[in-house]
Amino acid sequence: MSKGNRSKPAPPRGKGPRTARLGELLREVVAEELERIDDPRLELVSITSVEVDADLNRAIVSYDSLAGEAGDAEILEAFAARRVRLQAAVGRQIHARKTPVLQFRPDEVIRHAERIEQILRDVPRDGGPATGSAAETDAGPA
């Protein structure tokens, strides 16, 4: 029996533990470096996840902020200004042949979850509609 038959099949590209581990490591490195940066636009920003592509060329850094959508333009501008510093920190700390290029975006999953929570908070607790129906208002005492 040859060695090739005994080996485990490789996980699908981009979905394997290597990219997941690298993504988590990048999240930690970027979050730590973000704490060292003295930029008020990035003070209330947290790094929620990092997705690394299969070729390790690009890493999409997702963030969330207390400023919400209103602060995105300013936060993305700050990340653009600090990208070289963050990229250098990643290069120093991950000890990989390639350092993925960092790209930043708001974490839409968290934003969608917040929107769903808001909708659920707005639903009346008794299960009825928020305003009285026409049948309730037109029907007087008998």
Side-chain angles (χ1 to χ4, degrees):
M1 185 180 264
S2 70
K3 272 187 166 180
N5 292 340
R6 286 185 259 155
S7 66
K8 294 181 182 177
R13 291 185 60 134
K15 308 253 188 231
R18 179 179 181 198
T19 56
R21 281 193 316 263
L22 183 58
E24 182 58 26
L25 178 60
L26 289 174
R27 188 192 66 74
E28 291 173 10
V29 169
V30 171
E32 287 173 8
E33 190 64 24
L34 204 57
E35 290 178 8
R36 294 183 188 102
I37 293 175
D38 185 27
D39 188 330
R41 300 173 294 181
L42 298 174
E43 285 179 359
L44 301 175
V45 174
S46 62
I47 305 302
T48 57
S49 67
V50 177
E51 294 177 35
V52 182
D53 71 358
D55 296 329
L56 308 179
N57 291 328
R58 182 176 62 143
I60 298 174
V61 179
S62 297
Y63 70 87
D64 193 31
S65 153
L66 292 178
E69 287 182 44
D72 282 346
E74 192 173 78
I75 291 168
L76 289 170
E77 182 179 299
F79 274 129
R82 306 291 188 211
R83 191 187 68 74
V84 172
R85 177 178 173 172
L86 293 167
Q87 193 78 42
V90 166
R92 280 190 310 271
Q93 295 183 41
I94 68 167
H95 308 293
R97 284 181 283 160
K98 279 197 229 183
T99 302
V101 175
L102 302 176
Q103 295 178 339
F104 300 91
R105 71 169 185 208
D107 191 332
E108 293 299 327
V109 173
I110 289 178
R111 300 238 171 117
H112 291 304
E114 289 170 350
R115 177 71 181 129
I116 290 169
E117 284 181 25
Q118 183 61 44
I119 290 169
L120 292 174
R121 278 193 295 266
D122 291 346
V123 172
R125 295 231 183 245
D126 65 1
T131 59
S133 68
E136 290 175 3
T137 57
D138 290 340

